[in-house]
């Protein structure tokens, strides 16, 4: 790099970017539109379940149908996000396009009948499988297919949460623990920005979360940082990381043990659904079912309510964690990320009360940091904090997410994520 | 990663982090304090030069003294940032502690006599060489010395600009083009946060820059993003990247050609100083000397003035680029980053006028994106945008920085930066 370059490589860079713009435009429009349809339907179905509580009793039946759909029509689509990550690392049999309708339909079923799950898995899988489909039409080389798959992931993530910059960085950071490679930096950003614009122009509004807290240096007034608060944020980061670890390992354990001990595979989702019904009655609340962004009643525990005093009980985080680990561990579909937001925000609410810290700050930090720990994406989650909550508390976002990243250990919800750089 | 972990690795992670906290605390305090002293002196000396314009005439003499200091006392300290990057990649002869007093003294001389240079190189070199010194005292292994060096870089960068999160990410991203490795993620963040707190508690205030512009979707009112503005930002990003490329290659070219054609090495800084004096008189302005953050007169072109209409001339960016390339290319000391901020903000000002875009927005984008292009650190610079200007225009920061990153090609101001992942 030390010599004065005589060949002006910028021309080939420009033509490379132009090529990718053309490849990505149709993909981003398609993914953005489909995500918009998904979010719209999801909202309608959740409202429908609120109106008809008895739908929950059909959850075991829904689980059985989901099982049968994937068994007879799914091929390898059942592997979901992990299949896409694998195909990005090393091209194999490809990501089948049937993944798109299957994951869309089964996620909607999961939510209609009250399974506790999220959205990002669905959006990422639709993005990835549509990218694979489109890449095959374009006859892309293996190297280019890799980039298009990453762009598909970025498009799905960026559109589903309305966070385009996070979508791009997440698609690069999630592939391997401990590393961001900048290949596909602009293709991913293009895809997530365009998909987000498309989704928003279909009329989708994303939930707004607010951290009103603005740091003002406290005890040691010569400092511009409140060291007491900083220490509390570090401790919370440890807790967020441990809970991310707990979630990842509990989901895997439920999946592994149920496969091991329940010989009739079709029984697994049926039992899973039955346990969710039983837990709901045991706790006497529907708050931990489905997405958790909107609540059935004004006093429901939701992600939004966790940002206010009294918005969560001491153990809300644990119940949401358990409901979600059972739902996803026994074969229902949807993402892990929105439940992780819920778990984190609820845990933040609890910790804030225990440690006397502003609740909205800790709920926001938990929201991003449990996710950072469970998926090993600390930089993407720090940026997500900025996209969702603004810049005021950037330092605390970074401290919480980086700390949670360390304390989640070398596990994570995506079993296909490689370990590129060990944490210690 | 798929198996349920039975050994609870979090204990070893906690003890690892505790160890690094103890190693880093004294380093961060030392670096933060020294950076505070550096910034305080720099400010005094710049005011002194404003009061005594004749100091500029001594620039060639200052250059000669700097040359002699490094020739007879410098050992390999002359390699500056590149030496530190090399030592992080592969431990060699180490970074000598003499680098700290040398770079501090010679940077202050460069600024006192009007050389156009920055601050970050000085802070990073003080951080790196003090880390090496401290690491030797601690008898660190090669692997741990690597981490401490990165932490030293993060501490210097975070403290000198008051941007701790950027400091940590920059230290990881600058090492190799196209990659962030998360080793040392928390050690770097600790170091830069603590150094920044130390520096601020010494009473140092960093210049505040403002982008008041808040995007409101324009022409296509169903969209939440202004596509016209977005396109203009992309075009500006291309220009920022090309100018980053121009700066890196012009500095290298001046250095290489002067070494090739001027046989008496001591003459190089003398001639460099003389050219700066000549250019100053030719242009009839002192605006492109020294740091460029504060101006001698109320109507001086400075980084701050570039954020307002009429705050820069059409070619301010070019003159600052030329002044800095000559200053640093002929052996004066200081960083490249503050001049890159100036060049970018001035270019942004010019482009904003030509393309009818809000001036403060484009000045801010140029500020971070020329730097992103010249150092190949697009993610760190996007985060810097948030730390300096707030979250409102995050999408534009990312678009400008990522685009500039591509269009600066595979060159950069740090010749020791490895190419880890090709841009196309």
């Amino acid at each position: 790099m030390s010599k004065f370059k005589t060949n002006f490589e910028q021309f080939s860079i420009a033509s490379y970017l132009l090529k990718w713009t053309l490849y990505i435009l149709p993909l981003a429009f398609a993914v953005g539109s489909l995500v918009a349809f998904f979010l719209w339907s999801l909202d309608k179905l959740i409202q429908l379940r609120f109106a008809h509580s008895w739908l929950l009793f059909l959850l075991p039946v829904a689980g059985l149908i989901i099982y049968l759909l994937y068994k007879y029509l799914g091929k390898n689509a059942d592997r979901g996000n992990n299949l896409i990550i694998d195909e990005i690392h090393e091209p194999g049999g490809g990501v089948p396009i049937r993944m798109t309708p299957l994951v869309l339909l089964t996620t909607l079923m999961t939510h209609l009948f009250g399974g506790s799950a999220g959205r990002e898995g669905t959006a990422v899988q639709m993005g990835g499988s549509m990218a694979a489909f489109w890449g095959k039409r374009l006859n892309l080389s293996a190297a280019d297919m890799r980039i298009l798959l990453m762009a598909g992931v970025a498009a799905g993530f960026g559109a589903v949460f309305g966070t385009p910059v996070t979508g791009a960085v997440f698609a690069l950071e999630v592939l391997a623990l401990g590393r961001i490679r900048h290949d596909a930096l602009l293709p991913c950003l293009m895809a997530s920005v365009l998909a987000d614009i498309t989704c928003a122009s279909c009329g989708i509004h994303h939930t707004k979360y607010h951290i009103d807290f603005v740091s003002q240096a406290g005890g040691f007034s010569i400092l511009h940082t409140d060291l007491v608060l900083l220490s509390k944020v570090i401790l919370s980061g440890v807790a967020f990381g441990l809970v991310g670890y707990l979630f990842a390992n509990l989901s895997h354990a439920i999946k592994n043990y149920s496969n091991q001990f329940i010989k009739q595979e079709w029984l697994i989702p049926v039992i899973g659904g039955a346990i969710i019904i039983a837990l709901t009655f045991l706790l006497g609340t529907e708050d931990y079912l489905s997405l958790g962004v909107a609540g059935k009643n004004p006093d429901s525990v939701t992600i939004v309510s966790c940002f206010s005093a009294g918005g969560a009980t001491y153990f809300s985080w644990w119940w949401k964690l358990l409901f979600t680990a059972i739902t996803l561990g026994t074969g229902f579909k949807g993402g892990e990320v929105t439940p992780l937001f819920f778990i984190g925000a609820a845990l933040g609410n609890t910790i804030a009360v225990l440690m006397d810290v502003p609740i909205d700050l800790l709920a926001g930090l938990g929201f991003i940091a449990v996710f950072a720990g469970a998926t090993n994406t600390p930089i993407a989650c720090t940026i997500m904090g900025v996209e969702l909550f603004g810049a005021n508390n950037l330092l605390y976002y970074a401290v919480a997410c980086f700390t949670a990243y360390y304390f989640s250990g070398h596990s994570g919800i995506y079993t296909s994520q490689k370990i590129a750089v060990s944490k210690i």
Side-chain angles (χ1 to χ4, degrees), chain A residues 81 133 213 249 278 293 326 341:
Chain A
N81 289 15
F133 181 78
F213 171 75
N249 285 292
V293 172
I326 293 171
F341 292 162

Side-chain angles (χ1 to χ4, degrees), chain A residues 114-137:
Chain A
S116 172
R119 305 170 282 192
E120 131 289 344
T122 315
V124 163
Q125 289 173 42
M126 294 196 301
S129 66
M130 286 165 78
F133 181 78
W134 177 226
K136 254 185 248 162
R137 292 292 152 292

Side-chain angles (χ1 to χ4, degrees), chain A residues 183-257:
Chain A
D183 47 355
L185 196 65
L186 263 187
C188 283
L189 186 66
M190 282 181 208
S192 72
V193 170
L194 292 172
D196 172 52
I197 292 177
T198 307
C199 183
S201 67
C202 294
I204 294 296
H205 296 286
H206 301 281
T207 311
K208 296 255 183 273
Y209 304 97
H210 294 285
I211 300 182
D212 294 323
F213 171 75
V214 178
S215 175
Q216 279 166 339
F220 303 87
S221 61
I222 52 160
L223 303 179
H224 69 155
T225 305
D226 183 337
L227 290 185
V228 177
L229 179 58
L230 185 63
S231 315
K232 289 176 178 174
V233 169
I234 293 170
L235 285 178
S236 315
V238 174
F240 296 144
L242 292 175
V243 167
Y245 168 88
L246 179 64
F247 176 80
N249 285 292
L250 189 61
S251 311
H252 296 322
I254 289 177
K255 192 167 202 166
N256 294 338
Y257 286 118

Side-chain angles (χ1 to χ4, degrees), chain A residues 4 14 28 152 269 400:
Chain A
F4 190 85

